[in-house]
Amino acid sequence: MPVINVEDLTDKDKAVMEVNQLKLEVKLERWLTSKCCEEIKEYIQALVEEDTLVKGISEEKNPFKEKGGCVIC
Amino acid sequence: MAAEKAEMDALKKECDGLRAQIEAARKAVNDGSMSAASSGVASVGRVQLKLRKTLKGHLAKIYAMHWSADSRQMVSASQDGKLLIWDCFTGNKLIAVPLKSAWVMSVAFAPSGNLVASGGLDNICTVYNIKAASPKTLRELDAHTGYLSCCRFLSDTEILTASGDTTCCLWDLETGKQKVIFTNHIGDCMSLALSPDTNTFISGACDSLAKLWDLREGACKQTFSGHTSDINAISFFPNGNAIITGSDDCQCKMYDLRADQEVICYQDTSLNAGVTSLALSSSGRLIFAGYDDFNCHIWDSLKGEKVGVLSGHDNRVSCTGVPADGMGVCTGSWDSFLKLWN
């Protein structure tokens, strides 16, 4: 794998790199944002009930709770 | 001279033309916002997490932290020249790894739990075996010509690095050599994240761009613009179809990979501090973003609203992480402490 030292690239090299990259990206097939946002929303809705940081956690089940304390019998 | 200028002008014109085409294509599919999709979704209400533990042990600014895949151990890196591996259930320090160079900027835990890696202003990514009797340097990955800003293991045999030299690199840990070099950013690379299926990764850089790369081919597949300053933090949405970025322009953004554009921006006029780090809750509903204002603000990813804050650090929050099981969130700060919240 040839090592491309970015410091050695001239302004022209960088411009050519940019054009080639844009030529690749212009061909992308893009989905409708409405469909994409709907999917993200549905993904979250399906999992949010199990999301501890949204729903909270009971003291007994909390792995990070502070342990210790004294009990006087 | 005139010929060179003419050439550059022609290339610039070609770039501008292609960019205009891309913007038109993005606009053409932009038929609905995240606000519209989430209008019927119930609010999460105010998210009030409690501080469960403060981990004390570092003697200087903490720059990075990373959870182990077991959701129990965590590694932190400080410019006191040490990596500390913590048991977050007990709060105990398990292992201390002394660093050759104190100027550390990034740390990573291998999925196996056998290795950790770190690097920074030394331009080197050093990999340590922490299962040995005392931590042993396994490899020094030395080829970047700029600082190491981020590193992430794919396995015990491969690691990805991002550098201030504007490149990212995939290394073979068995040979210590570079396998693939990812060149396309024109500013320092500040952060990277692996896709859930490990076929691609994303990088954020000081050129204000986020880029999606094919890990094996080495090619940049997509470029996301919109930020107006360095992108310091980047993460995949849990299903791998969207990315979240955090920037010095004080905003976080979500970009959808299939729509190839920004779908929502997380900003607040009262927030005038840069974003240093970010992490998502397990469902992706909450975004925990660390800021220069000493707080970690909590965003509702669907509605774009600020729903909570983790306050308690006395200096910049430099790193944020949620473990794989989603049970809590860890913040690390220049105040030398790490805090666990849930």
Side-chain angles (χ1 to χ4, degrees), chain B residues 155-230:
Chain B
S155 66
D156 279 5
T157 54
E158 287 183 310
I159 193 169
L160 249 184
T161 55
S163 169
D165 69 10
T166 78
T167 70
C168 295
C169 184
L170 177 66
W171 305 78
D172 180 334
L173 289 176
E174 286 170 327
T175 60
K177 299 267 181 281
Q178 296 172 295
K179 261 181 162 168
V180 186
I181 301 172
F182 304 89
T183 308
N184 210 267
H185 278 295
I186 53 170
D188 302 12
C189 289
M190 297 303 291
S191 52
L192 69 87
L194 267 171
S195 64
D197 68 8
T198 69
N199 289 331
T200 60
F201 76 95
I202 42 177
S203 59
C206 292
D207 55 12
S208 338
L209 303 172
K211 286 181 179 283
L212 175 75
W213 308 84
D214 183 306
L215 247 175
R216 304 297 159 190
E217 278 174 36
C220 170
K221 312 294 270 190
Q222 286 173 255
T223 301
F224 302 94
S225 56
H227 279 296
T228 53
S229 188
D230 308 355

Side-chain angles (χ1 to χ4, degrees), chain B residues 57-331:
Chain B
H58 281 299
L59 305 171
K61 295 174 173 168
I62 291 171
Y63 273 78
M65 58 78 48
H66 194 214
W67 283 97
S68 167
D70 70 5
S71 299
R72 176 167 181 161
Q73 289 186 21
M74 176 266 289
V75 62
S76 58
S78 164
Q79 292 201 348
D80 64 6
K82 290 211 164 46
L83 301 182
L84 287 176
I85 292 156
W86 307 82
D87 173 342
C88 292
F89 288 6
T90 60
N92 293 336
K93 296 178 238 339
L94 300 173
I95 302 170
V97 182
L99 301 175
K100 251 185 183 171
S101 163
W103 306 114
V104 65
M105 295 174 68
S106 178
V107 76
F109 227 126
S112 65
N114 297 328
L115 310 173
V116 294
S118 69
L121 295 181
D122 57 353
N123 300 0
I124 300 172
C125 179
T126 307
V127 180
Y128 305 88
N129 175 354
I130 54 164
K131 295 296 185 182
S134 67
K136 192 167 178 288
T137 300
L138 184 74
R139 285 263 171 247
E140 282 177 341
L141 307 173
D142 188 358
H144 278 300
T145 54
Y147 58 83
L148 199 88
S149 54
C150 195
C151 51
R152 284 292 178 260
F153 285 91
L154 274 82
S155 66
D156 279 5
T157 54
E158 287 183 310
I159 193 169
L160 249 184
T161 55
S163 169
D165 69 10
T166 78
T167 70
C168 295
C169 184
L170 177 66
W171 305 78
D172 180 334
L173 289 176
E174 286 170 327
T175 60
K177 299 267 181 281
Q178 296 172 295
K179 261 181 162 168
V180 186
I181 301 172
F182 304 89
T183 308
N184 210 267
H185 278 295
I186 53 170
D188 302 12
C189 289
M190 297 303 291
S191 52
L192 69 87
L194 267 171
S195 64
D197 68 8
T198 69
N199 289 331
T200 60
F201 76 95
I202 42 177
S203 59
C206 292
D207 55 12
S208 338
L209 303 172
K211 286 181 179 283
L212 175 75
W213 308 84
D214 183 306
L215 247 175
R216 304 297 159 190
E217 278 174 36
C220 170
K221 312 294 270 190
Q222 286 173 255
T223 301
F224 302 94
S225 56
H227 279 296
T228 53
S229 188
D230 308 355
I231 293 177
N232 299 315
I234 199 162
S235 179
F236 269 93
F237 185 75
N239 71 357
N241 291 330
I243 68 174
I244 321 276
T245 53
S247 165
D248 271 348
D249 66 11
C250 313
Q251 296 178 355
C252 292
K253 290 178 188 293
M254 181 191 289
Y255 296 92
D256 188 287
L257 298 182
R258 280 95 47 94
D260 186 48
Q261 59 190 281
E262 177 181 328
V263 291
I264 185 167
C265 179
Y266 308 97
Q267 62 177 334
D268 189 306
T269 45
S270 67
L271 269 177
N272 269 323
V275 180
T276 62
S277 50
L278 65 88
L280 270 58
S281 70
S282 58
S283 67
R285 184 68 193 263
L286 300 178
I287 299 169
F288 295 88
Y291 287 75
D292 288 341
D293 72 353
F294 306 1
N295 294 317
C296 178
H297 293 279
I298 311 173
W299 295 90
D300 176 337
S301 67
L302 288 180
K303 295 197 178 268
E305 294 160 352
K306 213 154 74 60
V307 293
V309 64
L310 304 176
S311 289
H313 284 293
D314 295 322
N315 207 322
R316 174 186 290 193
V317 172
S318 55
C319 48
T320 309
V322 170
D325 67 3
M327 294 294 263
V329 52
C330 179
T331 52

